[in-house]
Amino acid sequence: MFDWRWDFTIEILPRLLEATGNTLIAAGLGYLIALVLGLVFALAQRTPYRLLTFAVRESIEFIRSTPLVLQIFFVFYVGPQFGIRLSPWTSGMIAIGLHYASYLSEVYRAGLDSVPKGQWEACTALNLSVRRTYTKIVIPQAIPTVIPGFGNYLVGIFKDTPMLSVIGVTELFHAATSIGAETYRFLEPFTLVGAIFLAISLPAAMLIRRFEDWIRASLGMTKLHAKD
Amino acid sequence: MSYLEFLYKYAPSFLNGAVVTLEQTALGTLLAVIVALIMGFMKMSSFIPVRWVGIVYIEIFRGTSLLVQMYWIFFVLPLFGITLGKFEAGFLAVGLNLGAYGAELVRGGVQSVPRSQYEAATALGMHPFTRMRRVIFPQALLNMLPPWGNLLIELLKATALVALISVADLMFVSKQINMSTFLSAQAFGTALIIYYIIARGIITPGMRGLECKLAKKLSIG
C-alpha cells in the first residue's frame, strides 16, 4: 500500500496491543457498572413512588439524548469546580457507565415488560415473595428478550471507548494519537487501530449471536419440560 | 458571575455552535440516508459480488469506531491525495458511519413487508422496479421510520465528535468557554441542555410528524 512502512508497523504494534488491554479493561469495567446501575434504574421505575419513577425516567431520557463525549467532559471537569478531583479513569468509567446504564435500563425494562401479566398474577396468587417472584419466575423468562440488547451494547461500549482518550485515558486510540504526534505518521497507527477494532468486534458479535441461539435453545427445552 | 449573566454573555457563541451542529446533523443525515439506501439494497441483492460489497461496507463501518474513522478520513486520506476540510471530513465520517447502521434498518424494513404483497404485485404484472417503488418500499418506509428516529438522535450525538477535529460545533464552543472561564458546570451543562432540546424538541417531533403524514398517505392511497 501507499507509503506503508512495515518496520514502523512492527515497532508500534506492541505499544498498540498493550493499549488494547486497557481498552478491554475500560469496556469491561464500564459494562459492569452499566449492568448494575441499569438494573437499579429499571427497578426504580417499577416502584410505586411516582416522583422517583418520573425523575429516573426523565434522567434516562436526558442521558440517552446527549452526546457521550460531552458527558465525559462534564464529569471530568465539573468535579474540580466543587473541590472533587477525579482521575481520568474514574470519571471516564462514571460517564460511560452511566451512559450505558441508561441504555441497558431500557433493555431490562423491555425484558421485564415482556413477561406476561398472568405470570405476575400467578406469583401473587401463590403468595411468592417479591424476591422469589423475580429470581425464580420473572427473570428466567425475561432473559431471551434481553440477551440481544445486552450483546449489542457490549460491542457498543467497546466501540465508544476511544472517546475516553479526550480526557487522557491511555487506551488504544490515545496510544495511536500519541504515536501520530510523536512521529508525524498517521497511516499505520490509525489503520492498525481500525484493524484491531474489527478483529475484536466482529468475532465478538458472532460469539454473541451464537450465545443467543444457545440460550434460546436451552430455554426452549426447559419450557417444553414445564408444559409436560 | 450568576448563571443568567453567563448565559447573556455566551448565548451568541452557544448559538453559533448549535447552528454548526445542526448543519453537521443535516448534511450527515442526508449522506446517511443515501448510503443506507444504496448499501441496504446492495446487501439484499441476489448477485453475490454486489451483496458482498454491501456486507463488507456495513461490517467495516459498524465494526470500528466512528472516532477512528473520522481521524482516518481527516489525517490518513490526505496521504492518498484526498484532502478534505475539517467540516467536510466531519459530516462525511458521521454520514458514512451512521449510514451503515441505516442500511440494516432499510434491509429490515423491506424484509418486514409481507410476502403476499410481492405476490399480489407480481400477479398484477408489475415490473420488479415498479413493484419496489410503488408497493414494497412505501410500506417498508413506514415500518422503518420509528427506528430511523432513534438513529437520527444517535447521529446528532455523533456529530459532537467533529469537535475533536476542531469543527466549531456546540461541543467545541462549550470546550472553549470552559477553557476561558473555568465554569465547567455552566459551559458543559448548557451544551448538554441544548443537545437535549435539539433531540427531543426537533428530531423526535419531526419524525413523529413524518410518520403520521406517511401513514395517512398510505391509507388513502
Side-chain angles (χ1 to χ4, degrees), chain A residues 72-88:
Chain A
I72 292 173
F73 273 113
F74 187 88
V75 174
F76 187 60
Y77 285 103
V78 169
Q81 205 181 348
F82 301 101
I84 309 160
R85 291 195 61 87
L86 295 172
S87 73

Side-chain angles (χ1 to χ4, degrees), chain B residues 24-34 91 94-95 148 152 155-156:
Chain B
Q24 286 279 335
T25 307
L27 290 168
T29 303
L30 190 69
L31 184 63
V33 169
I34 295 170
F91 78 78
V94 170
W148 267 99
L152 290 194
L155 194 144
L156 165 73

Side-chain angles (χ1 to χ4, degrees), chain B:
Chain B
M1 188 161 34
S2 78
Y3 184 57
L4 273 180
E5 283 172 312
F6 172 86
L7 266 191
Y8 184 73
K9 189 167 172 202
Y10 291 106
S13 325
F14 276 119
L15 212 66
N16 286 337
V19 169
V20 174
T21 290
L22 285 175
E23 286 169 357
Q24 286 279 335
T25 307
L27 290 168
T29 303
L30 190 69
L31 184 63
V33 169
I34 295 170
V35 168
L37 286 175
I38 295 174
M39 291 302 159
F41 276 106
M42 280 177 99
K43 197 177 172 180
M44 286 184 284
S45 167
S46 49
F47 188 52
I48 289 169
V50 171
R51 192 192 313 157
W52 267 96
V53 173
I55 290 173
V56 168
Y57 178 90
I58 292 170
E59 293 301 329
I60 285 182
F61 276 88
R62 295 204 322 169
T64 58
S65 244
L66 171 57
L67 197 49
V68 178
Q69 290 155 21
M70 191 176 287
Y71 267 59
W72 210 90
I73 288 173
F74 191 62
F75 289 107
V76 179
L77 273 191
L79 302 176
F80 296 90
I82 307 165
T83 307
L84 293 163
K86 52 195 179 186
F87 186 85
E88 291 78 20
F91 78 78
L92 203 68
V94 170
L96 291 177
N97 180 271
L98 274 294
Y101 289 88
E104 288 289 301
L105 298 185
V106 169
R107 195 172 64 95
V110 170
Q111 286 176 348
S112 73
V113 176
R115 194 86 220 131
S116 53
Q117 295 284 329
Y118 284 88
E119 287 159 6
T122 313
L124 290 170
M126 274 190 187
H127 184 266
F129 185 76
T130 323
R131 179 178 68 189
M132 183 53 76
R133 191 172 65 88
R134 303 288 304 263
V135 180
I136 308 300
F137 195 71
Q139 298 180 65
L141 194 60
L142 190 62
N143 286 340
M144 68 173 109
L145 272 185
W148 267 99
N150 287 334
L151 194 74
L152 290 194
I153 290 177
E154 292 299 321
L155 194 144
L156 165 73
K157 287 159 56 184
T159 62
L161 289 178
V162 302
L164 301 179
I165 53 170
S166 336
V167 177
D169 75 332
L170 188 50
M171 163 91 203
F172 189 80
V173 167
S174 68
K175 240 169 76 182
Q176 272 186 325
I177 294 173
N178 174 56
M179 296 250 246
S180 58
T181 62
F182 296 108
L183 295 169
S184 309
Q186 288 89 327
F188 293 130
T190 310
L192 282 172
I193 291 168
I194 298 174
Y195 274 109
Y196 183 70
I197 292 171
I198 296 176
R200 297 293 158 188
I202 299 176
I203 295 179
T204 307
M207 291 303 286
R208 283 266 157 76
L210 216 61
E211 253 170 76
C212 282
K213 235 176 163 177
L214 188 69
K216 255 189 202 157
K217 215 175 155 188
L218 282 187
S219 61
I220 292 168

